[in-house]
Amino acid sequence: MTDVVSLELLLDEETDAAVRAEWDALAQAGLPNQAQHKGESNRPHITLLVRPGLAQVAAEPLSPLFPLPLTLGAPLLFGAGRTRVIARSVVPTAGLLALHARVHETAGPGGDADHTRPGAWTPHVTIARRVPIERVGEALAVWSETGEQELPARAVGLRRWDAASRTVTDLVGHGTLETC
C-alpha cells in the first residue's frame, strides 16, 4: 500500500515532548530516528487503522473515549532483512483495545493493512526506521539512557492522514496538544 489513509492517535504534550527527546538523542548519536522526517505531519502517534481508501469517519461515536490514559513501555523491533524499525510499545489496556475496535467499527469494512486489524494489531509509537541491524544494539543503548522504561501518557486526539494528498484532518481534538 503506497497511497493509504490512516487513523492515528495523538499524544498529550508531555508525552509528545518525551518521545521527541528520544528521537533527538538518537539523532545526536548519529543514528536513524523519526526526527529526520521533516514533513509537517511528523509527530509521535499511534496508528490505529491503515487502508487504501476511507470514507469520512464520524467523530461523534469516538469523542467520548478521549482523553484515554496510556502507558508507553519497552522497545519493540519490527522488520526483516538488513534494517529494523524501533518503536515504543503501548500497553494494550481494555480501554485502548475498545477504542481500536470502535475505530474499525466506525470506519466500516475495508482493505485494512493486516498489522492494524483487531486481533493482529501491536500498538506502538515509532522511534526510528531503517536502523541497520548492526546498529540496533547501539540505538537501544541510547534509548535506554534517555527514555523512561514506562512512560505514563494520554491519547488526546485522533487524526486522519491521507498519504496521496499529504493532508492531515483532525477528527477528535484540533491538532493542538491541549485539545482534550
Side-chain angles (χ1 to χ4, degrees):
M1 290 189 212
T2 54
D3 285 341
V4 297
V5 174
S6 63
L7 298 181
E8 303 167 344
L9 285 178
L10 302 177
L11 303 170
D12 64 272
E13 187 173 331
E14 295 81 18
T15 307
D16 186 275
V19 171
R20 288 177 189 272
E22 293 171 358
W23 294 356
D24 291 343
L26 291 171
Q28 290 172 9
L31 292 157
N33 61 83
Q34 282 302 97
Q36 292 173 313
H37 171 30
K38 299 300 182 192
E40 249 181 73
S41 66
N42 186 38
R43 73 187 270 191
H45 65 273
I46 302 164
T47 302
L48 299 170
L49 177 147
V50 176
R51 60 174 63 161
L54 181 63
Q56 230 13 46
V57 174
E60 294 79 26
L62 303 171
S63 293
L65 303 174
F66 289 88
L68 178 68
L70 303 169
T71 300
L72 276 55
L76 297 170
L77 298 177
F78 295 108
R82 299 176 53 121
T83 65
R84 294 291 183 274
V85 170
I86 298 176
R88 253 194 184 269
S89 62
V90 179
V91 177
T93 62
L96 178 59
L97 295 175
L99 173 62
H100 183 249
R102 190 71 166 282
V103 163
H104 281 262
E105 176 185 303
T106 303
D112 297 343
D114 289 338
H115 68 279
T116 66
R117 288 189 175 131
W121 177 59
T122 301
H124 66 276
V125 177
T126 301
I127 303 299
R129 297 180 189 274
R130 294 182 283 286
V131 179
I133 194 81
E134 64 273 5
R135 298 198 71 193
V136 166
E138 181 183 356
L140 291 174
V142 168
W143 176 83
S144 71
E145 291 171 9
T146 58
E148 294 179 43
Q149 294 301 310
E150 284 197 355
L151 182 62
R154 289 182 312 133
V156 295
L158 178 69
R159 72 178 183 180
R160 172 192 173 112
W161 162 247
D162 186 319
S165 64
R166 300 181 138 329
T167 57
V168 171
T169 305
D170 296 313
L171 301 176
V172 175
H174 302 288
T176 66
L177 298 172
E178 296 291 328
T179 55
C180 289

